[in-house]
């Protein structure tokens, strides 16, 4: 099965090719060229589009689609305290509806590979992780679900209420179980499992350390939240006598198999350690701005040689949830502190593609080249916002599109003419509306 994707401009991640094309065979890129293309079984021909490597979402909490719009003016800890009791009510059905909404939104904005950091497993609710994996298979997105966890409840000095934390041995056993059932390490994989205790203020150092050992025994990656707010820094200094980054390093949580969400409050030495250890950072500018958490030092991290990706974060702290919007926000936010030279448009695209793929450990994704996965996103440049604009690639960052025109994942067309082909997007919207209303009502 061959697929040909043609576009007015093809950005491979390093090269820009006018009237370029990509030929994919069985989900893998066979050839890239310009001008007269070869024959293919299926064709996506968009002369008024820019084609880029499929975007990579390196941090998310998909279940949060069912709880958007809460604590709109709160700090992270205030927002979390508002939401924990509502999250305590989620089950496999609400998680499935949320994941379908999150994944539909991601695909429709050009994202082809996403992680999901799921860390809420209320006692007795079965099938939550399975619901996430099923939704990704149904919608056709390449997926790295994290088996997240919380174990440090309020009664033991943590932030979350005891009702949403789990027993640590049960967490480790369940994590091992989902790795055995769902992790596919092969090149071109559509599903890889990640081990991901939630944060220094919601799990114990023992669980962090044992999670890292478990992940390394199985050759899977590690993910968690680090240095998101000054409240977290204060918590770590008071409880452990260390800054968050030092705590994580002492627990074995640095290396090229680890990536952190946020990494905002890092001092110069910590920026250097992140780069030296090849630890990745998932930058989530909209969520960080919504929660007033601060600004990740993206320009400093890149200068130090660190791996930096972009994430929408959960929709409860980024209701727009558009990954091309994060490319836009990353560029603007970097310039607030660093001036117009802090981040250029092409580097911003690379954060959302190659940078994210590096965080997720995918050397087969994040760029368009022979042998890479056939994951491509196409954006119109003949609409009212973009028609006639100079430098199409930069203009898509300065004026982010509200949706992609076409999206290909694993050589399969999943979005065409801005419509999802793998599921009914209106039905998904109705369903997430009903599930959100039910949770809101139950919360009183
Ligand atoms: Zn997060």
């Amino acid at each position: 099965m061959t697929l040909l994707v043609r576009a007015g401009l093809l950005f491979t991640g390093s090269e820009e090719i006018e009237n370029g094309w990509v030929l994919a065979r069985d989900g893998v890129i066979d050839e890239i060229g310009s001008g007269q293309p070869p024959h293919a079984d299926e064709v996506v021909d968009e002369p008024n589009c820019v084609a880029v490597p499929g975007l990579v979402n390196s941090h998310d909490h998909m279940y949060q689609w069912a709880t958007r719009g809460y604590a709109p003016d709160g700090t992270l800890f205030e927002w979390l305290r508002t939401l924990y009791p509502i999250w305590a009510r989620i089950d496999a059905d609400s998680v499935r509806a949320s994941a379908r909404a999150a994944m539909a939104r991601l695909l429709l904005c050009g994202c082809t590979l996403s992680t999901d950091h799921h860390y809420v497993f209320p006692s007795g609710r079965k099938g939550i992780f399975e619901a996430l994996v099923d939704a990704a298979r149904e919608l056709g997105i390449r997926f790295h679900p994290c088996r997240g966890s919380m174990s440090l409840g309020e009664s033991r000095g943590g932030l979350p209420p005891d009702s949403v934390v789990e027993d640590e041995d049960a967490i480790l056993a369940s994590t091992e179980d989902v790795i055995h059932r769902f992790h596919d390490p092969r090149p071109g994989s559509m599903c890889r499992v990640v081990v991901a205790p939630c944060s220094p203020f919601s799990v114990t150092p023992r669980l962090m350390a044992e999670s890292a050992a478990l992940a390394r025994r199985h050759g899977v990656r590690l993910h968690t939240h680090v240095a998101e707010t000054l409240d977290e820094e204060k918590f770590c200094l008071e409880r452990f006598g260390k800054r968050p980054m030092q705590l994580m390093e002492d627990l074995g949580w640095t290396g090229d198999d680890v990536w952190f969400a946020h990494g905002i409050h890092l001092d110069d030495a910590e920026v250097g350690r992140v780069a030296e250890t090849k630890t990745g950072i998932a930058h989530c500018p909209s969520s960080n701005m919504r929660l007033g958490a601060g600004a990740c030092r993206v320009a400093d991290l890149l200068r130090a040689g660190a791996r930096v990706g972009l994430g929408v974060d959960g929709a409860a702290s980024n209701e727009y949830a558009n990954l091309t919007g994060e490319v836009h926000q990353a560029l603007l936010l970097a310039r607030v502190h660093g001036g117009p030279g802090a981040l250029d448009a092409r580097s911003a695209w690379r954060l959302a593609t190659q940078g994210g793929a590096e965080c997720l450990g995918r050397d087969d994704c994040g760029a368009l080249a022979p042998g890479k996965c056939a994951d491509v996103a196409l954006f119109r440049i003949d609409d009212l916002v973009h028609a006639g604009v100079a430098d199409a690639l930069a203009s898509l960052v300065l004026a982010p599109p509200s949706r992609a025109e076409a999206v290909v994942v694993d050589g399969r067309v999943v979005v065409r003419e801005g419509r999802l082909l793998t599921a009914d997007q209106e039905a998904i919207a109705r369903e997430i509306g009903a599930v959100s209303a039910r949770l809101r009502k139950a919360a009183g």
Side-chain angles (χ1 to χ4, degrees), residues 157-402:
L159 191 76
D162 292 0
S163 60
V164 290
V165 305
E166 294 175 272
D167 172 75
E168 297 195 342
D169 292 329
I171 290 168
L172 293 165
S174 153
T175 305
E176 202 151 34
D177 173 59
V178 295
I179 293 170
H180 286 139
R181 286 163 61 204
F182 302 116
H183 182 68
D184 175 4
R186 293 172 296 182
S189 170
M190 289 296 285
C191 186
R192 287 194 188 162
V193 175
V194 179
V195 179
C198 187
S199 67
F201 53 85
S202 58
V203 307
T204 65
R206 175 204 170 228
L207 184 62
M208 279 287 180
E210 294 211 2
S211 295
L214 186 153
R216 284 169 179 148
R217 270 201 309 279
H218 292 283
V220 304
R221 298 180 80 74
L222 286 160
H223 182 50
T224 191
H225 296 92
V226 176
E228 182 174 1
T229 63
L230 291 172
D231 286 335
E232 173 198 332
E233 186 176 299
K234 187 163 169 271
F235 179 95
C236 289
L237 285 168
E238 282 173 9
R239 190 175 173 100
F240 308 114
K242 298 172 190 177
R243 293 168 52 77
M245 177 68 194
Q246 187 63 53
L247 174 71
M248 297 312 290
E249 189 151 23
D250 291 350
L251 291 169
W253 269 78
T254 48
D256 64 1
D257 57 347
V258 180
W259 88 104
F260 297 145
H262 309 303
I264 294 171
H265 300 284
L266 300 176
D267 62 24
D268 291 346
E270 290 165 345
V271 165
R273 287 301 293 151
V274 165
E276 267 169 48
T277 57
K278 298 190 158 49
T279 307
I281 299 287
H283 175 38
C284 306
S286 291
S287 169
N288 298 158
M289 287 190 274
R290 187 215 198 254
L291 293 166
C296 175
R297 299 171 61 183
V298 171
D300 294 337
L301 283 162
L302 292 177
R303 207 173 300 120
R307 300 169 165 183
V308 182
L310 293 183
V312 293
D313 207 348
S317 65
N318 174 11
E319 282 78 357
Y320 194 47
N322 177 340
L323 195 49
T324 65
E326 298 310 297
V327 183
H328 173 73
Q329 303 284 35
L331 178 133
L332 296 184
L333 183 56
R335 292 180 180 193
V336 169
H337 295 288
L343 190 66
D344 65 70
R346 284 154 180 84
S347 303
W349 276 117
R350 273 191 285 273
L351 295 180
T353 53
Q354 196 187 312
E358 285 172 357
C359 286
L360 271 55
R362 297 297 299 243
D363 56 10
D364 55 349
C365 296
L368 301 178
K372 302 267 188 194
C373 292
D375 295 355
V376 191
L378 293 98
F379 299 99
R380 297 204 77 87
I381 45 165
D382 60 348
D383 59 350
L384 177 62
V385 175
H386 302 95
V389 78
D391 192 343
L393 206 55
S395 87
L396 286 168
V397 178
L398 298 169
S402 55

